[in-house]
C-alpha cells in the first residue's frame, strides 16, 4: 500500500463489480472497494457487494430509485422498489426541494443526517453541489444546536464512542469499526464545543460534521474518515440531569486518569492504523488542547484545528485584507479578545509570518500583537499568574481592564474576537476601531452565531460601511447606505480539508508550522479581484474543491521540502495530483 493515490484511485475506479460477486443476501464483504487490500487492488473483481434488501439498506451502495432496470434484475431488487427509475440529479433536485421546505434549521440537519445514513453518495452529491447552502446545515452554526440536543435527536451512532468504560480495551474498540483503511480521525472530548462549552459525549456532532467536510470539501473517501468522541464525563450539570443524555453520568475525569486514557487512545491509533493516519484534535478545552498537541506532535501525525486550522485561515484573511487596506503585515498592529486556543494560535502564526518576512526573531515580532482575556489586557505585571500559553504575550504596559480601553490604548489596525463570548464587540468598540482606522479589519470568530462578537450588520453599520469584516459563523449579505456588503466566513473549514488532503497524498508523518503557512498562502492566493471588489477576503465556498486542491498541493510541497513526506516519488504537478485523488460522489454502476 505504498501509494494513497493508487489506493484512492483504485478505490474509486472499482466502478463495476463482477457478477460472481453478487451474492444474494449480501453476506460477503460489502465495503470491499474502500477497504481495498494490495491483493484487491490487483484483482478488484474479487470484491463483492450486498444485494436485494440488504443493498437498499446499505448506505455505502444504496442508490434508491436510481438503480437501473439491469441492476434491479442483477441484484435481486425487483419488487423492492417502485417502478420509476430516477437519475441522481433528479433525486438531488427532489431532496433540495424538500430540505428547503423545513423552516427549522435542526430539521434540515436531521434530514441530512438521515440521508447520510441512507444513501451516502447522494448525501455527498448534495453537499458538493450546494456547498454554500448546506454548509450551515451540516456544520456551523446548526451543528452546535444539534450537539446541544444530541441526546434527544439521537437515532443511530455515527462514529466511535470511547469512554472510561473502555479503558484497557481501546485497541479492541478500534477494531470494532467496520472500515480498516482509516486516513483521518477527528477526535473530541466534548469539553469546549464551539463557543457552547462542555457538551460531553454529545460533542460527537462535531467530528461527524468535520469529517463530512473532509469528504465534501477535501475529497477524502468517506470510508477513510473516522469520527471519535472520548467520553471522560461532563461537568455540564444540565446534561447530567437530562434523562436523554447519551454519555457517562459523571464529572469529568482529570489528571492521570485523563492523560492515561488519552495515551492509550493515541497508542492504539498508531498501532492499528500506522503512523500516517492523521489525528485532528477538535474542541478540547484549552488546558488539554495545548498539552495534547505538544505531547503527540513529535510522535504522531496530529493537528489541532482550533489552534492551527483557525490560525491558518485567519492569517490568510489578514494577508488578503492587506490588498484592500494597504500596508504590509509587519506594519499592522493586532489586538485579540480571547487568549485561548484560537487567539494564541492565530497570534503565534502571525508572529511567525512577520518573523519570516522581516528576518526578525519571533520574540520581537510578538510585540506587535496584544491579547485581552477575561481579566483585561495581558501585560507583564500579570506574567506570574498566567497560563503558560499566554506568557509569550505579556508585554510591557500598564494594566487595562476593559476591551474598549485596550482598543484606545493599543490603537490596533486589526481586531480579532476569539473568546467564545458573544456580543463583546459593542458599538463603542467598533466605533473606536473606525475612528482609529480608515478601514478597520474586524474579525468576529466565535461560534456559533449566538457567540459571535458582533453581527455583520453591526460591524458595517457602526463603522459606517468601512470595516473589512469576516466571522467564524456565516452571516448573510448586508445592505447599508444603498450598498451591499458581503461578509466572509473566517472558518477553519477553508483549511482543514485541504491541509488533510495534502498530508495524506504526500504521506506526511508530521505536521509542521510551515505547512500552516503554506496552506494560508494557498488560500489567500485563491481570492480573486472580483472577490476583493465585493470587500471579500476569502474566496466563495462554491469553489472549495479547487481551493482545497491548491491548499493540498502547497502543503504536500512543503512536506516534501521538509523531508517528512513518505510517498515517493513526488508527483510533478501536485495540484492536478490532489484533484485526481478526490472522491467523487457520483453513483457507480453495478454489473
Ligand atoms: O467548528 C467551527 O465552525 C470552527 C471551530 O473549529 C470552532 O469554532 O471550534
Ligand atoms: Mg473547533
Amino acid at each position: 500500500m505504498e501509494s494513497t493515490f493508487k489506493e484512492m484511485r483504485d478505490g474509486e475506479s472499482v466502478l463495476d463489480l463482477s457478477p460472481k460477486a453478487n451474492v444474494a443476501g449480501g453476506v460477503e464483504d460489502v465495503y470491499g472497494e474502500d477497504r481495498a487490500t494490495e491483493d484487491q487492488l490487483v484483482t478488484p473483481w474479487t470484491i463483492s457487494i450486498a444485494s436485494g434488501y440488504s443493498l437498499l439498506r446499505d448506505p455505502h451502495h444504496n442508490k434508491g430509485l436510481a438503480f437501473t432496470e439491469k441492476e434491479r434484475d442483477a441484484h435481486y431488487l425487483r419488487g423492492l422498489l417502485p417502478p420509476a427509475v430516477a437519475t441522481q440529479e433528479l433525486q438531488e433536485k427532489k431532496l433540495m426541494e424538500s430540505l428547503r421546505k423545513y423552516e427549522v434549521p435542526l430539521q434540515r440537519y436531521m434530514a441530512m443526517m438521515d440521508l447520510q445514513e441512507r444513501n451516502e453518495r447522494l448525501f455527498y452529491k448534495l453537499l458538493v453541489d450546494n456547498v454554500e447552502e448546506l454548509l450551515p446545515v451540516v456544520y456551523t452554526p446548526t451543528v452546535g444546536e444539534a450537539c446541544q440536543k444530541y441526546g434527544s435527536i439521537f437515532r443511530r451512532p455515527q462514529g466511535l464512542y470511547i469512554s472510561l468504560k473502555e479503558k484497557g480495551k481501546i485497541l479492541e474498540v478500534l477494531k470494532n469499526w467496520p472500515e480498516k483503511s482509516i486516513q483521518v480521525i477527528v477526535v473530541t472530548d466534548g469539553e469546549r464545543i464551539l463557543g457552547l462549552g462542555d457538551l460531553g459525549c454529545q460533542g460527537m456532532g462535531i467530528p461527524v460534521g468535520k469529517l463530512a467536510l473532509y469528504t465534501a470539501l477535501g475529497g477524502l473517501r468517506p470510508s477513510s474518515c473516522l469520527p471519535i468522541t472520548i467520553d471522560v464525563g461532563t461537568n455540564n450539570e444540565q446534561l447530567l440531569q437530562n434523562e436523554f443524555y447519551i454519555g457517562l453520568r459523571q464529572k469529568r475525569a482529570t489528571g492521570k486518569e485523563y492523560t492515561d486514557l488519552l495515551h492509550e487512545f493515541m497508542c492504539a491509533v498508531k498501532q492499528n492504523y500506522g503512523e500516517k493516519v492523521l489525528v485532528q484534535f477538535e474542541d478540547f478545552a484549552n488546558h488539554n488542547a495545548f498539552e495534547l498537541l505538544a505531547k503527540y506532535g513529535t510522535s504522531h501525525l496530529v493537528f489541532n484545528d482550533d489552534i492551527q486550522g483557525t490560525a491558518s485561515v485567519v492569517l490568510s484573511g489578514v494577508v488578503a485584507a492587506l490588498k484592500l487596506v494597504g500596508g504590509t503585515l509587519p506594519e499592522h498592529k493586532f489586538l485579540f479578545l480571547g487568549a485561548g486556543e484560537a487567539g494564541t494560535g492565530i497570534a503565534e502564526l502571525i508572529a511567525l509570518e512577520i518573523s519570516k518576512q522581516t528576518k526578525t526573531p519571533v520574540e520581537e515580532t510578538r510585540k506587535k500583537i496584544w491579547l485581552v482575556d477575561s481579566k483585561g489586557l495581558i501585560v507583564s505585571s500579570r506574567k506570574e499568574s498566567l497560563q503558560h500559553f499566554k506568557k509569550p504575550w505579556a508585554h510591557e504596559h500598564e494594566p487595562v481592564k476593559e476591551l474598549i480601553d485596550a482598543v484606545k490604548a493599543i490603537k490596533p489596525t486589526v481586531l480579532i474576537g476569539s473568546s467564545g463570548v458573544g456580543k463583546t464587540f459593542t458599538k463603542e468598540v467598533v466605533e473606536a476601531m473606525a475612528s482609529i482606522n480608515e478601514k478597520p479589519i474586524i474579525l468576529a470568530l466565535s461560534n456559533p452565531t449566538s457567540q459571535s462578537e458582533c453581527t455583520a450588520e453591526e460591524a458595517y453599520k457602526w463603522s459606517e460601511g468601512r470595516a473589512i469584516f469576516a466571522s467564524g459563523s456565516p452571516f448573510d449579505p448586508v445592505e447599508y447606505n444603498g450598498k451591499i456588503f458581503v461578509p466572509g466566513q473566517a472558518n477553519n473549514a477553508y483549511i482543514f480539508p485541504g491541509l488533510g488532503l495534502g498530508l495524506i497524498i504526500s504521506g506526511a508523518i508530521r505536521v509542521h508550522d510551515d505547512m500552516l503557512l503554506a496552506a494560508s498562502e494557498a488560500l489567500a492566493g485563491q481570492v480573486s479581484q472580483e472577490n476583493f471588489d465585493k470587500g471579500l477576503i476569502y474566496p466563495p465556498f462554491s469553489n472549495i474543491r479547487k481551493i482545497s486542491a491548491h491548499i493540498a498541493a502547497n502543503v504536500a510541497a512543503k512536506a516534501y521540502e521538509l523531508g517528512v513526506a513518505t510517498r515517493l516519488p513526488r508527483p510533478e504537478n501536485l495540484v492536478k495530483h490532489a484533484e485526481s485523488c478526490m472522491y467523487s460522489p457520483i453513483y457507480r454502476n453495478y454489473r
Side-chain angles (χ1 to χ4, degrees):
M1 200 110 27
E2 83 292 353
S3 149
T4 301
F5 172 58
K6 186 176 172 199
E7 199 183 314
M8 296 172 95
R9 221 185 28 180
D10 285 359
E12 268 305 298
S13 68
V14 187
L15 295 181
D16 299 299
L17 300 167
S18 75
K20 76 167 188 248
N22 302 323
V23 178
V27 289
E28 288 198 16
D29 183 1
V30 295
Y31 310 114
E33 85 285 11
D34 280 337
R35 282 179 172 182
T37 61
E38 198 66 41
D39 241 18
Q40 288 167 327
L41 290 176
V42 180
T43 52
W45 310 126
T46 59
I47 295 163
S48 60
I49 64 163
S51 63
Y53 192 78
S54 314
L55 178 53
L56 293 181
R57 282 180 175 51
D58 169 4
H60 307 295
H61 296 95
N62 179 30
K63 301 198 280 185
L65 286 183
F67 280 111
T68 62
E69 301 287 0
K70 255 173 82 181
E71 287 170 339
R72 293 175 190 211
D73 279 333
H75 295 274
Y76 306 90
L77 296 169
R78 283 281 160 208
L80 300 182
L81 288 164
V85 177
T87 60
Q88 196 175 15
E89 287 66 33
L90 189 71
Q91 291 179 311
E92 188 176 355
K93 181 178 170 196
K94 185 190 82 177
L95 276 159
M96 287 309 293
E97 278 183 13
S98 76
L99 273 174
R100 285 174 187 140
K101 287 194 185 115
Y102 290 120
E103 281 174 14
V104 179
L106 194 60
Q107 288 176 325
R108 292 186 187 183
Y109 175 87
M110 289 166 69
M112 284 300 283
M113 292 302 108
D114 279 350
L115 178 60
Q116 192 176 16
E117 287 293 309
R118 190 169 74 240
N119 183 337
E120 187 176 84
R121 282 183 183 266
L122 191 53
F123 169 82
Y124 283 112
K125 182 86 167 63
L126 246 67
L127 208 45
V128 170
D129 292 347
N130 306 277
V131 65
E132 289 189 309
E133 184 173 348
L134 295 181
L135 214 54
V137 177
V138 301
Y139 186 63
T140 305
T142 311
V143 71
E145 189 188 351
C147 289
Q148 288 174 311
K149 300 176 179 163
Y150 216 67
S152 301
I153 65 173
F154 182 85
R155 291 188 191 174
R156 276 196 197 191
Q158 290 174 293
L160 267 184
Y161 292 88
I162 297 175
S163 78
L164 289 168
K165 288 190 203 173
E166 280 71 53
K167 185 171 153 45
K169 295 182 248 178
I170 297 182
L171 187 59
E172 285 167 52
V173 175
L174 294 181
K175 290 186 190 298
N176 286 344
W177 188 251
E179 307 295 346
K180 302 302 167 207
S181 52
I182 297 301
Q183 292 175 317
V184 190
I185 291 171
V186 176
V187 60
T188 188
D189 72 354
E191 191 168 3
R192 197 236 71 204
I193 294 299
L194 308 175
L196 301 170
D198 185 351
L199 297 182
C201 195
Q202 303 198 161
M204 181 57 106
I206 296 292
V208 168
K210 293 269 173 186
L211 285 165
L213 270 50
Y214 258 109
T215 296
L217 280 51
L220 274 98
R221 285 172 299 132
S223 59
S224 73
C225 299
L226 173 55
I228 298 185
T229 292
I230 296 194
D231 186 350
V232 296
T234 177
N235 297 338
N236 183 326
E237 271 308 319
Q238 261 186 340
L239 286 180
L240 288 173
Q241 302 302 328
N242 186 321
E243 61 179 330
F244 299 130
Y245 181 56
I246 57 170
L248 285 183
R249 267 172 220 276
Q250 66 165 74
K251 285 259 168 15
R252 277 186 182 275
T254 56
K256 190 169 169 353
E257 201 181 0
Y258 180 88
T259 44
D260 282 356
L261 193 76
L262 271 111
H263 193 63
E264 187 191 337
F265 167 69
M266 291 305 291
C267 294
V269 160
K270 199 162 171 177
Q271 192 179 337
N272 207 37
Y273 303 116
E275 63 175 351
K276 283 181 262 176
V277 63
L278 171 63
V279 178
Q280 173 168 322
F281 294 118
E282 193 72 49
D283 292 8
F284 283 76
N286 289 329
H287 55 113
N288 291 321
F290 289 105
E291 240 176 80
L292 288 170
L293 188 60
K295 183 166 173 187
Y296 295 104
T298 51
S299 58
H300 290 64
L301 182 68
V302 295
F303 147 71
N304 183 302
D305 192 30
D306 304 296
I307 301 173
Q308 298 170 299
T310 307
S312 185
V313 80
V314 171
L315 174 62
S316 166
V318 171
V319 166
L322 299 181
K323 287 232 168 124
L324 296 167
V325 173
T328 61
L329 195 67
E331 286 164 359
H332 281 266
K333 208 184 225 186
F334 303 83
L335 180 68
F336 286 76
L337 176 63
E341 295 159 65
T344 61
I346 301 161
E348 187 63 24
L349 201 65
I350 291 175
L352 187 63
E353 177 60 24
I354 297 177
S355 156
K356 287 197 186 251
Q357 285 186 16
T358 57
K359 302 194 172 35
T360 315
V362 75
E363 291 74 19
E364 277 306 304
T365 61
R366 284 187 189 126
K367 292 181 180 157
K368 311 218 53 131
I369 303 173
W370 295 82
L371 277 68
V372 171
D373 67 7
S374 58
K375 298 193 175 66
L377 192 64
I378 297 183
V379 291
S380 46
S381 58
R382 291 177 52 194
K383 202 156 186 170
E384 291 317 305
S385 60
L386 287 171
Q387 287 158 290
H388 68 92
F389 52 89
K390 294 183 183 175
K391 285 191 180 1
W393 311 101
H395 310 318
E396 284 301 323
H397 199 284
E398 63 196 38
V400 180
K401 257 198 129 43
E402 302 298 328
L403 175 65
I404 179 68
D405 298 323
V407 170
K408 287 176 183 163
I410 303 297
K411 298 191 173 37
T413 55
V414 185
L415 177 66
I416 299 176
S418 58
S419 68
V421 185
K423 303 186 173 51
T424 40
F425 289 175
T426 58
K427 184 161 185 272
E428 226 187 342
V429 167
V430 175
E431 281 176 355
M433 281 300 290
S435 74
I436 298 163
N437 303 286
E438 173 57 31
K439 288 186 177 169
I441 299 174
I442 299 179
L443 307 177
L445 302 180
S446 295
N447 295 317
T449 320
S450 59
Q451 310 310 109
S452 192
E453 284 77 7
C454 65
T455 65
E457 187 175 3
E458 288 165 346
Y460 295 124
K461 206 168 70 188
W462 295 338
S463 67
E464 296 160 328
R466 287 185 283 121
I468 307 299
F469 177 79
S471 51
S473 299
F475 281 106
D476 287 335
V478 173
E479 195 184 329
Y480 175 78
N481 265 356
K483 201 175 155 199
I484 303 287
F485 294 84
V486 188
Q489 195 180 349
N491 190 295
N492 49 35
Y494 274 112
I495 292 288
F496 69 79
L499 174 67
L501 181 64
L503 295 169
I504 301 298
I505 62 173
S506 60
I509 51 163
R510 294 289 176 274
V511 176
H512 192 284
D513 280 348
D514 284 355
M515 297 173 181
L516 304 175
L517 295 177
S520 183
E521 185 194 19
L523 176 58
Q526 292 298 306
V527 192
S528 67
Q529 192 53 49
E530 192 192 336
N531 304 146
F532 283 126
D533 291 345
K534 289 187 199 149
L536 276 171
I537 54 175
Y538 293 101
F541 268 114
S542 51
N543 289 341
I544 189 66
R545 280 204 158 201
K546 176 171 160 257
I547 297 165
S548 293
H550 280 269
I551 293 174
N554 251 25
V555 169
K558 195 51 82 176
Y560 285 105
E561 195 185 312
L562 293 169
V564 294
T566 59
R567 297 204 187 274
L568 302 169
R570 177 195 190 282
E572 186 89 2
N573 185 332
L574 283 167
V575 176
K576 276 218 172 87
H577 179 61
E579 276 171 345
S580 73
C581 289
M582 286 187 177
Y583 164 85
S584 158
I586 292 173
Y587 285 147
R588 300 166 314 144
N589 298 317
Y590 303 137
R591 271 210 298 243

